[in-house]
Amino acid sequence: MEESWACASVEKDLDRVVTKLEQLRDNASADVGDIAILMSDLVNALGNAEQMVTTLNSSTQVNANAPSVDDPMGDGVSMQVETEPTAPQRPTDRHMEVIRGAILKCNERVQKLSTEHRDLHGSISKIGKAIDRNFSADFTSTMRVDVLQDEDNLMLLNKAIAKHYCRQGMDSVARTLIKECKMTEDQAQDVFDSEREFADIYSIWMKIQKRELTEALKWTKRYSPQLMERQSLIEFRLHRMRFMQLVSYGVESQHEAVVYARTNFKKFALRYEHEIANLMASFIYLPAGLENSPYKHFLGQEMWTELSFIFLKDACQLLGISKNSALSVVVNAGCTALPALLNIKQVMQSRQVLGMWNGCDELPIEIDLQPEFRFHSIFACPILRQQTSEDNPPKKLTCGHVISNDALTKLSNGHILKCPYCPVEQNAEEAVRIYF
């Protein structure tokens, strides 16, 4: 919950900056357009002024060189007359007014853009401050370093890491880790033996993603009775994908695809009759190619990815193994619990009760994890720190807290019970047994 609030707070500041950026973009486009118009007017004004000066100079020169009617030597006589250079002509007042106005307006637009851009920098810098304010970067405050100082705990961590590598087929890396941490031979053998089945499944999973179905089809053939009993979809989907793979090769593979369908779709005829009929209709599109047909989605990578994960899930369920390693479960669960831990750590620091964090083997608060991180329904009494049983069942108090029946008996004073958490006084006989 705290994490969602922090994200919402940062997102609010980010939306504000994005809005300002969009406004700046629109304003800048308008201002640049205005500046372009002003520059165009300025160029026209300067061009008109230059044309007027050229016209005046040309007119003066022509008048000076023309022969006079009263000059008796004008006919047939060529004379060079030295004249003073014509003084340059100034633009008119109207032209000067246009030039000064264009320059002034351009300067105003540029100054406005500069001011808006400078203000935007301040808004952007506030995003970083909002992130620092809402998210704590001091993750070490939630660590229990003393736990890893114990050799047994450290060896358990190394085993979890080695098993994670074995599950992904990285045996050489696992062996290097085993050698460097000086793991015993029995522990090393347990690492490889416990994860060998999943390593095989993982290898097939990787091949499916590479569009190689041979190993997957062999595996489903070996476990076909168990898969049919569990009504798994994976065997039919693998055969369906292999059939469409043959069809996608073109007319040359048509006969092979027909033989494959007759051989492998027979036992699925009752359950998937309609879908098999639709698959047979794909032969109609062979001349034009499947990529131009309604069956083109079978060629997409998303279909292969989905098929690989269905195989991974069904295979792990059939063999009774987890599809996630212990290391990945711990890391993902820790990331989920981290915001709540950071929050409670900050509260405990402000109240100076940090000894409560290090003085017990359990967290001071309950972390609500997702269903994929729940593997059993064992309830341990938070008071006596014992797992409940049929002889000592869990009891729910009227305030909502749950303790064991033995703890309820020890805390009761006659019929009066004071909840060890709230604390709310209530009738001990009103506690109700709950079942997991």
Side-chain angles (χ1 to χ4, degrees):
M1 185 62 71
E2 292 291 337
E3 184 180 8
S4 61
W5 289 343
C7 289
S9 179
V10 174
E11 186 177 8
K12 185 177 180 180
D13 291 339
L14 184 61
D15 290 340
R16 190 180 297 113
V17 172
V18 170
T19 301
K20 286 188 176 182
L21 277 171
E22 291 175 349
Q23 292 176 351
L24 178 61
R25 180 195 61 191
D26 297 338
N27 294 339
S29 299
D31 289 338
V32 170
D34 293 341
I35 291 174
I37 295 174
L38 292 172
M39 289 294 100
S40 178
D41 294 341
L42 179 59
V43 170
N44 292 334
L46 292 174
N48 293 335
E50 183 180 0
Q51 183 178 4
M52 180 175 292
V53 170
T54 303
T55 302
L56 291 174
N57 288 339
S58 300
S59 176
T60 303
Q61 185 175 2
V62 169
N63 291 335
N65 293 333
S68 175
V69 176
D70 298 331
D71 188 359
M73 300 180 62
D75 295 334
V77 179
S78 175
M79 297 181 63
Q80 293 183 351
V81 182
E82 293 184 0
T83 61
E84 294 182 0
T86 305
Q89 301 294 321
R90 291 177 58 83
T92 63
D93 292 340
R94 179 178 174 277
H95 291 153
M96 291 300 298
E97 182 179 356
V98 171
I99 293 171
R100 283 193 293 267
I103 294 175
L104 180 61
K105 290 180 180 179
C106 286
N107 290 334
E108 291 177 353
R109 295 291 194 280
V110 172
Q111 185 65 28
K112 179 184 176 184
L113 288 174
S114 177
T115 302
E116 291 179 349
H117 191 268
R118 185 169 55 251
D119 294 341
L120 185 63
H121 274 289
S123 300
I124 294 176
S125 64
K126 291 180 181 179
I127 296 179
K129 296 179 181 178
I131 293 175
D132 295 337
R133 184 175 63 254
N134 290 280
F135 295 95
S136 174
D138 186 18
F139 299 121
T140 58
S141 62
T142 61
M143 294 177 58
R144 287 281 306 274
V145 183
D146 59 300
V147 174
L148 295 180
Q149 293 177 354
D150 185 276
E151 291 294 333
D152 293 336
N153 292 339
L154 186 59
M155 189 57 65
L156 287 175
L157 177 60
N158 289 328
K159 286 184 66 176
I161 297 174
K163 286 184 177 183
H164 181 77
Y165 287 132
C166 288
R167 290 171 69 91
Q168 300 186 20
M170 303 171 67
D171 291 357
S172 59
V173 180
R175 289 191 178 92
T176 302
L177 175 61
I178 289 171
K179 180 180 179 180
E180 292 182 354
C181 71
K182 299 179 180 179
M183 192 179 297
T184 64
E185 293 184 4
D186 293 339
Q187 291 175 329
Q189 190 63 35
D190 177 65
V191 167
F192 289 101
D193 291 344
S194 61
E195 303 299 334
R196 182 55 58 197
E197 283 186 320
F198 182 86
D200 296 337
I201 297 299
Y202 183 84
S203 175
I204 298 174
W205 176 71
M206 291 292 294
K207 289 180 179 178
I208 294 176
Q209 291 194 333
K210 295 178 181 178
R211 305 194 179 193
E212 300 175 9
L213 298 176
T214 304
E215 294 298 324
L217 290 170
K218 289 180 180 178
W219 189 92
T220 54
K221 183 179 181 180
R222 184 165 66 250
Y223 293 97
S224 180
Q226 296 92 320
L227 292 171
M228 294 292 288
E229 183 180 355
R230 299 171 64 91
Q231 295 185 347
S232 173
L233 303 175
I234 186 60
E235 186 176 10
F236 173 73
R237 292 200 175 186
L238 284 170
H239 285 301
R240 182 185 69 177
M241 186 61 78
R242 178 55 181 164
F243 171 78
M244 295 306 302
Q245 193 176 37
L246 293 172
V247 174
S248 67
Y249 294 156
V251 180
E252 296 79 6
S253 299
Q254 180 176 354
H255 177 70
E256 184 180 358
V258 171
V259 174
Y260 186 87
R262 289 174 178 174
T263 304
N264 297 283
F265 286 159
K266 186 181 300 182
K267 63 179 179 180
F268 303 107
L270 294 178
R271 187 178 178 185
Y272 300 101
E273 179 181 2
H274 181 68
E275 188 169 355
I276 292 174
N278 287 336
L279 292 175
M280 295 300 104
S282 61
F283 290 115
I284 301 174
Y285 300 94
L286 282 184
L290 286 186
E291 63 275 5
N292 301 317
S293 72
Y295 297 88
K296 63 181 179 181
H297 66 279
F298 284 100
L299 306 178
Q301 182 60 39
E302 62 277 2
M303 289 290 293
W304 290 90
T305 303
E306 180 185 4
L307 181 65
S308 66
F309 279 100
I310 292 176
F311 171 81
L312 182 65
K313 178 177 70 72
D314 288 4
C316 289
Q317 289 180 351
L318 180 64
L319 299 178
I321 57 179
S322 173
K323 63 184 181 69
N324 297 317
S325 67
L327 181 65
S328 64
V329 171
V330 170
V331 171
N332 292 330
C335 293
T336 303
L338 191 58
L341 295 179
L342 289 171
N343 185 43
I344 190 63
K345 185 75 172 185
Q346 189 175 16
V347 173
M348 293 170 68
Q349 285 178 341
S350 63
R351 298 184 180 181
Q352 298 181 352
V353 288
L354 289 176
M356 181 179 175
W357 184 282
N358 298 322
C360 59
D361 294 332
E362 61 183 17
L363 297 175
I365 57 173
E366 182 179 356
I367 305 297
D368 185 17
L369 297 177
Q370 299 297 322
E372 59 265 25
F373 299 122
R374 301 172 186 171
F375 299 94
H376 51 73
S377 58
I378 296 175
F379 174 77
C381 177
I383 305 301
L384 300 180
R385 298 184 182 180
Q386 297 175 350
Q387 291 184 9
T388 55
S389 61
E390 287 296 324
D391 298 331
N392 181 28
K395 292 290 188 72
K396 178 183 178 182
L397 307 181
T398 56
C399 58
H401 292 104
V402 179
I403 59 177
S404 65
N405 186 68
D406 289 349
L408 176 67
T409 303
K410 292 180 180 295
L411 295 174
S412 299
N413 184 10
H415 296 290
I416 303 300
L417 171 66
K418 187 175 183 180
C419 178
Y421 287 99
C422 300
V424 172
E425 289 189 358
Q426 51 201 289
N427 190 344
E429 296 180 354
E430 295 180 356
V432 180
R433 177 176 177 175
I434 60 176
Y435 298 87
F436 291 96

